[in-house]
Amino acid sequence: MGLSCGIVGLPNVGKSTIFNALTNAGAASANYPFCTIDPNVGVVPLRDRRLDRIAKVIGSAETLYAVVEFVDIAGLVKGASKGEGLGNKFLANIRETDAITHVLRAFDDGDVVHVEGGVDPVRDAEIINTELILADLESVEKRRLREAKAAKGGDKDAAALVELLDRAIAALDAGQPARTVEVEPERAAAWRSLHLITAKPVLYVANTDESLAENDHVRAIQKMAEAEGAAVVVLSGKLEAEIAELDDAEERAAFLEDLGLEESGLDRMAHAAFDLLGLQTYFTAGPKEARAWTIRKGDKAPAAAGVIHTDFERGFIKAEVYGCADLFELGSESAVAAAGKKRMEGKEYVVRDGDVCHFRFNV
């Protein structure tokens, strides 16, 4: 299980600069609108110090982190939902992602043009959000026509879907994103099948200057996000680009320490995106590798095992489990076992973030 985030924003807010720093993929980055003409995809490791420590204690030869996939989508403008700028081609790319990472410019620089003529991140957010709402509205209205015709023919599933579509239309017509619509748990799958852009969770990224000092733009973004119940990560795209050029881990750590930071803004962005969908990690560890696996919060042991291989879930017997904190405290797996901290868990065990697991199965 992975996580895919579409990076959206107006032209010249720093999207591609941040994407380049994330992936070192070399996406075009220049001081003019639409410098990204194709969606660029980069897979970013979710750096986890716990996994590093596990690998060191166990003596694993290789460390494999969980990953977040970021899709850099060309800058949207007013009218994108109607084909302005690069239009619907890139709105379709957003539909394929799990979440939206919305980059907002939070710095003043007369040498970097702004497509709207001045820096106002709240206005910029409203422009993008309006375009996404309009795109969703067009999509659901077309879908409703098809489903209503099927419902008249006696299709009960279509009739149920029409009711959900009507809820979506009511919210979108009122200028509200689809994620504000309350949907019963038993209807969540049908709701997801609508593939609404504005139903996706959003993480706002405030791209500020290299001082990382809080300014009026950052405060405005934080106030807006708080009202929406959304999260905000504050970073400097230029600074992150410098950090990304440092290949040596110790050099990166020293650079961050000089800045008074424990981790880079991009690492915080990746972790925040991961949390956005209610995901967590458990670990497996042995001489060959220590690895992080992505599961949903609340997943039980068989489902967690199935992330490794479907046979593990199908033939699940038991799971040997201990917490990574116990490993760090006691210093070895044998000491964890001797202290009674290693447990045998069955099918009803809910895997916790930070668990180290070894699955027993038979197929």
Side-chain angles (χ1 to χ4, degrees):
M1 179 187 297
L3 169 62
S4 174
C5 288
I7 304 179
V8 303
L10 290 174
N12 284 9
V13 298
K15 287 189 311 90
S16 292
T17 299
I18 290 171
F19 177 81
N20 288 347
L22 274 165
T23 66
N24 291 316
S29 178
N31 182 27
Y32 57 93
F34 311 126
C35 64
T36 306
I37 58 173
D38 289 308
N40 294 273
V41 180
V43 177
V44 182
L46 190 72
R47 295 183 183 89
D48 193 322
R49 294 180 181 179
R50 297 174 302 174
L51 186 60
D52 294 334
R53 292 183 68 183
I54 290 169
K56 186 174 182 180
V57 173
I58 300 296
S60 305
E62 189 176 7
T63 303
L64 299 173
Y65 300 105
V67 297
V68 179
E69 181 182 270
F70 285 95
V71 183
D72 182 31
I73 296 165
L76 300 173
V77 294
K78 284 181 180 177
S81 61
K82 302 298 180 185
E84 293 296 325
L86 294 171
N88 284 320
K89 174 182 176 182
F90 293 97
L91 290 173
N93 294 127
I94 302 171
R95 291 191 191 281
E96 297 171 4
T97 62
D98 299 310
I100 295 173
T101 306
H102 190 160
V103 178
L104 295 167
R105 179 169 163 179
F107 65 89
D108 294 300
D109 186 339
D111 294 328
V112 180
V113 297
H114 193 291
V115 71
E116 290 296 320
V119 179
D120 184 344
V122 174
R123 174 208 59 207
D124 294 352
E126 289 174 351
I127 290 172
I128 296 294
N129 289 334
T130 297
E131 292 305 318
L132 299 184
I133 286 171
L134 291 173
D136 271 351
L137 190 57
E138 181 180 3
S139 172
V140 295
E141 286 177 340
K142 288 180 179 178
R143 180 74 179 270
R144 191 190 185 286
L145 287 174
R146 297 198 305 271
E147 299 298 338
K149 187 177 295 185
K152 286 182 179 179
D155 188 327
K156 293 182 179 180
D157 290 338
L161 208 52
V162 167
E163 194 274 332
L164 282 181
L165 287 163
D166 284 341
R167 291 193 211 178
I169 290 170
L172 296 167
D173 265 337
Q176 297 298 315
R179 58 184 166 272
T180 62
V181 177
E182 292 187 12
V183 178
E184 299 81 4
E186 62 272 16
R187 307 190 71 184
W191 179 253
R192 288 194 297 270
S193 73
L194 301 180
H195 300 295
L196 300 176
I197 300 172
T198 62
K200 302 179 189 298
V202 175
L203 169 68
Y204 289 108
V205 176
N207 182 23
T208 188
D209 60 32
E210 293 172 271
S211 72
L212 293 176
E214 188 175 286
N215 58 40
D216 289 341
H217 299 315
V218 171
R219 284 188 285 270
I221 294 169
Q222 291 171 331
K223 183 178 180 180
M224 173 189 68
E226 183 179 359
E228 296 179 11
V232 179
V233 172
V234 181
L235 54 76
S236 163
K238 286 186 177 180
L239 192 60
E240 297 299 326
E242 293 178 27
I243 296 171
E245 290 176 0
L246 303 174
D247 294 327
D248 183 75
E250 291 185 2
E251 193 175 1
R252 282 170 53 93
F255 190 94
L256 290 170
E257 186 177 353
D258 288 343
L259 295 171
L261 301 173
E262 291 187 3
E263 59 181 349
S264 73
L266 297 183
D267 284 343
R268 287 186 286 110
M269 178 176 158
H271 280 96
F274 195 75
D275 290 339
L276 201 57
L277 290 179
L279 302 178
Q280 63 182 19
T281 51
Y282 75 87
F283 307 111
T284 56
K288 289 186 178 180
E289 67 178 35
R291 183 164 182 166
W293 300 91
T294 303
I295 60 173
R296 298 192 183 280
K297 292 177 181 177
D299 276 355
K300 295 180 180 179
V307 173
I308 300 176
H309 196 285
T310 53
D311 284 349
F312 282 32
E313 181 173 10
R314 185 160 55 93
F316 178 88
I317 300 173
K318 292 285 184 181
E320 292 182 2
V321 182
Y322 61 86
C324 65
D326 293 325
L327 180 68
F328 304 151
E329 179 184 350
L330 298 170
S332 70
E333 278 192 307
S334 59
V336 170
K341 299 290 187 179
K342 183 183 285 189
R343 313 177 307 279
M344 294 297 296
E345 300 288 358
K347 292 183 178 181
E348 295 303 310
Y349 176 69
V350 177
V351 178
R352 302 169 186 168
D353 185 63
D355 275 351
V356 182
C357 301
H358 175 72
F359 298 105
R360 297 183 181 181
F361 69 102
N362 184 27
V363 292

